[in-house]
Amino acid sequence: MWMLLPEAVAAKLLRAFRKPLSSLWSSLVLWFFWLRAAVWLAGSDSRRPPRPARGTPQGSAGDDGEGSDQPTTPSSVNYHFTRQCNYKCGFCFHTAKTSFVLPLDEAKRGLRLLQEAGMEKINFSGGEPFIHDRGEYLGQLVRFCKEELHLSSVSIVSNGSLIRERWFKTYGEYLDILAISCDSFDEQINVLIGRGQGKKNHVENLQKLRAWCRDYRVAFKINSVINRFNVDEDMREQIKALNPVRWKVFQCLLIEGENSGPDALREAERFVISEEEFEEFLDRHKEVSCLVPESNQKMKDSYLILDEYMRFLNCRNGRKDPSKSILDVGVEEAIKFSGFDEKMFLKRGGKYVWSKADLKLDW
């Protein structure tokens, strides 16, 4: 075509098209390299094996224990070292099926294994943890966890009836949080639930324990199980007066073999409330700033629970299926069968400011 045009006209046409053609070519080159990179990355991802979610427990998704190679870190552990208790709460989901308690040295060995595996917080529970050796066994474990294992947080859940001031004098400095179980501020309701013990008044004792926690610089917490007998109660005034660092409010939970079923020591069915009733209770108390609610859905798989033999208890199937003891197979092997849901643990607020040094409380 250029041969048919005068030389001057051809030159003008070339100058006119050169700039847009150059711009178009640059754009096409960029698009070419972008598409090639995208295709390469897609192929690379398709060849890469799926990466397990952080903290996903092996064997916790109903796969018979065969899971990912990513071990679960036991950052927060609940050690129910005894099942014995002086109360008979009708909804108790860790009942006195045995009287076994590990020798102190073996319990310490297990706690060290947990600390080496990443444990930062230990919570001692029961049964009633102060019932064994009048609290001396518990005190020795509390001091060991602080002085030798240097754990960030050591806490206890107790009904409070067996605690004496001398225990605080000896061991209070090593304890971060004391949680007292109190389901009602009406003493008659406590008796109906099973938290009655002769002439002792559970509510009056709660006031005394609150004062000791303040005097000996232990963070004070309250645990309440909401059930058929207390679901309509208004506890706002009493909780605000006691001013705990946390008020943990649980929905009554059924566990086969513990508080329901033919082999259970309790019959908790008559205590059960619906999700709607639980939500109504929470709504009534929503202005209480320290309230930490836990429905059955949040609670069931979001705790790492060790029993009196130091076996992890898997609650995924509505009962407590034990692993092998960490004393026999180690933490990493036993925890594969714990059924622990780390995502739910974080969602329910399981990770919080749990050291009394960090709480900055006005004693």
Side-chain angles (χ1 to χ4, degrees):
M1 178 180 74
W2 302 113
M3 296 298 295
L4 300 177
L5 293 172
E7 186 176 338
V9 175
K12 287 182 179 180
L13 286 171
L14 279 172
R15 282 195 298 272
F17 283 102
R18 183 177 296 149
K19 189 171 183 179
L21 284 171
S22 175
S23 177
L24 177 62
W25 174 249
S26 298
S27 298
L28 287 172
V29 169
L30 288 172
W31 273 101
F32 171 75
F33 282 109
W34 181 87
L35 285 170
R36 190 173 72 168
V39 170
W40 182 84
L41 286 171
S44 175
D45 284 345
S46 66
R47 291 187 296 271
R48 186 181 299 145
R51 185 178 181 180
R54 180 182 176 274
T56 302
Q58 299 183 35
S60 66
D63 56 3
D64 297 325
E66 298 297 328
S68 74
D69 294 329
Q70 184 80 12
T72 299
T73 301
S75 58
S76 177
V77 177
N78 296 272
Y79 178 26
H80 296 250
F81 67 84
T82 179
R83 285 178 172 267
Q84 297 301 298
C85 188
N86 58 325
Y87 279 5
K88 295 181 180 178
C89 302
F91 48 70
C92 179
F93 42 78
H94 199 74
T95 55
K97 300 170 73 172
T98 76
S99 59
F100 178 80
V101 176
L102 274 172
L104 186 62
D105 288 345
E106 283 293 274
K108 288 181 177 180
R109 180 167 74 89
L111 291 169
R112 189 177 291 281
L113 290 174
L114 289 163
Q115 184 265 343
E116 291 170 351
M119 180 176 68
E120 302 170 30
K121 178 182 185 293
I122 183 72
N123 179 55
F124 294 106
S125 188
E128 169 49 48
F130 282 88
I131 201 170
H132 185 66
D133 197 19
R134 298 184 178 181
E136 183 63 23
Y137 179 96
L138 173 62
Q140 291 288 332
L141 292 181
V142 166
R143 182 162 60 189
F144 173 77
C145 287
K146 271 294 180 184
E147 277 195 333
E148 298 193 37
L149 300 186
H150 307 291
L151 297 186
S152 298
S153 181
V154 179
S155 64
I156 297 170
V157 175
S158 168
N159 63 38
S161 64
L162 302 176
I163 305 176
R164 301 293 179 261
E165 187 176 7
R166 64 177 178 269
W167 192 95
F168 280 96
K169 290 178 180 179
T170 307
Y171 301 111
E173 63 180 295
Y174 310 110
L175 183 64
D176 288 274
I177 302 171
L178 175 64
I180 300 298
S181 299
C182 180
D183 306 312
S184 176
F185 291 94
D186 182 333
E187 192 61 22
Q188 293 304 311
I189 292 178
N190 283 321
V191 172
L192 286 173
I193 287 171
R195 290 199 192 278
Q197 192 184 32
K199 296 180 180 180
K200 289 185 179 180
N201 186 297
H202 191 76
V203 177
E204 290 178 2
N205 195 52
L206 184 70
Q207 305 284 348
K208 181 173 62 177
L209 291 165
R210 178 67 183 96
W212 285 342
C213 283
R214 181 180 60 250
D215 294 344
Y216 294 94
R217 296 178 176 250
V218 175
F220 181 70
K221 176 183 173 186
I222 297 176
N223 286 357
S224 300
V225 176
I226 308 309
N227 60 84
R228 178 58 51 206
F229 294 97
N230 65 3
V231 68
D232 296 321
E233 191 171 339
D234 188 340
M235 306 182 190
R236 288 175 290 183
E237 183 180 341
Q238 292 90 344
I239 294 294
K240 288 179 181 179
L242 288 163
N243 192 29
V245 293
R246 283 162 75 85
W247 178 32
K248 188 72 78 68
V249 174
F250 302 96
Q251 182 184 359
C252 182
L253 176 67
L254 294 180
I255 296 290
E256 183 183 340
E258 297 282 355
N259 62 13
S260 71
D263 300 324
L265 297 181
R266 298 285 186 273
E267 295 180 0
E269 286 83 358
R270 64 193 180 98
F271 291 89
V272 171
I273 59 172
S274 66
E275 292 284 347
E276 293 75 16
E277 289 173 308
F278 184 63
E279 288 299 324
E280 287 175 8
F281 181 91
L282 296 179
D283 188 62
R284 189 183 315 126
H285 295 85
K286 62 185 178 183
E287 66 187 63
V288 181
S289 60
C290 60
L291 171 65
V292 181
E294 286 193 16
S295 64
N296 288 346
Q297 182 184 6
K298 287 183 179 180
M299 181 168 54
K300 187 164 64 75
D301 304 322
S302 63
Y303 284 85
L304 273 174
I305 302 173
L306 278 178
D307 72 0
E308 63 274 20
Y309 302 100
M310 283 200 161
R311 304 176 300 184
F312 287 109
L313 298 179
N314 186 328
C315 301
R316 283 186 175 263
N317 295 317
R319 58 181 184 271
K320 291 182 174 178
D321 297 320
S323 69
K324 293 182 179 179
S325 175
I326 66 171
L327 298 171
D328 296 328
V329 300
V331 176
E332 185 174 341
E333 180 64 26
I335 207 170
K336 294 177 184 179
F337 303 93
S338 65
F340 180 58
D341 185 341
E342 187 178 33
K343 289 183 178 179
M344 187 58 76
F345 166 74
L346 296 172
K347 184 178 179 180
R348 70 167 172 81
K351 191 86 171 178
Y352 60 95
V353 181
W354 51 33
S355 169
K356 65 181 178 183
D358 297 329
L359 283 167
K360 299 177 181 178
L361 296 176
D362 182 8
W363 303 105

